[in-house]
Amino acid sequence: QVQLVESGGGLVQAGGSLRLSCAASGGTFSRYGMGWFRQAQGQGREFVAHISWSGDNTYYTDSVKGRFTISRDNAKNTAYLQMNNLKPEDTAVYYCAAAYSDLRVFDYWGQGTQVTVSS
């Protein structure tokens, strides 16, 4: 069983930056692909980015390409989401997730961290 805890959310002005962290425990972190998702109030959960177990492969939804960067440090059992040039439409609860065998299927989820971008 993998436990995931997100941190780093907060309130930021448009154009600002935040870095989210996702600390993992209870499993072999380096065996899992990691993803970030978000859910704005009243909307469904949206995929943001994912990274392979090795960190060699990443993928982003179009709306964040060039602004967000996903990374991981397997020695620290932590995944990150660096968010630059934030926009009000990025406001959401951000969740990290772990995928054991297929980056289309995420097995474990964190509780989420709120990101609010003011205009």
Side-chain angles (χ1 to χ4, degrees):
Q1 186 79 6
V2 175
Q3 292 81 44
L4 302 173
V5 179
E6 302 95 336
S7 61
L11 174 63
V12 64
Q13 290 187 333
S17 298
L18 284 174
R19 187 176 82 155
L20 305 183
S21 298
C22 174
S25 61
T28 304
F29 181 72
S30 60
R31 293 182 179 178
Y32 290 85
M34 297 299 296
W36 286 95
F37 294 77
R38 64 188 180 186
Q39 186 167 18
Q41 190 170 6
Q43 299 186 26
R45 187 168 59 198
E46 174 190 27
F47 167 80
V48 175
H50 71 219
I51 186 168
S52 61
W53 64 271
S54 65
D56 289 343
N57 297 300
T58 58
Y59 184 79
Y60 300 88
T61 192
D62 285 347
S63 62
V64 308
K65 284 180 181 176
R67 300 189 298 122
F68 290 11
T69 303
I70 189 171
S71 63
R72 65 189 297 158
D73 185 337
N74 287 345
K76 295 183 177 180
N77 291 348
T78 303
Y80 304 96
L81 186 68
Q82 177 67 45
M83 306 186 293
N84 298 329
N85 191 22
L86 282 160
K87 304 176 180 180
E89 52 264 42
D90 295 318
T91 295
V93 177
Y94 283 71
Y95 299 90
C96 70
Y100 184 69
S101 61
D102 185 337
L103 280 168
R104 295 168 295 180
V105 180
F106 286 84
D107 305 287
Y108 302 101
W109 294 82
Q111 294 299 305
T113 186
Q114 176 71 46
V115 171
T116 303
V117 185
S118 63
S119 57

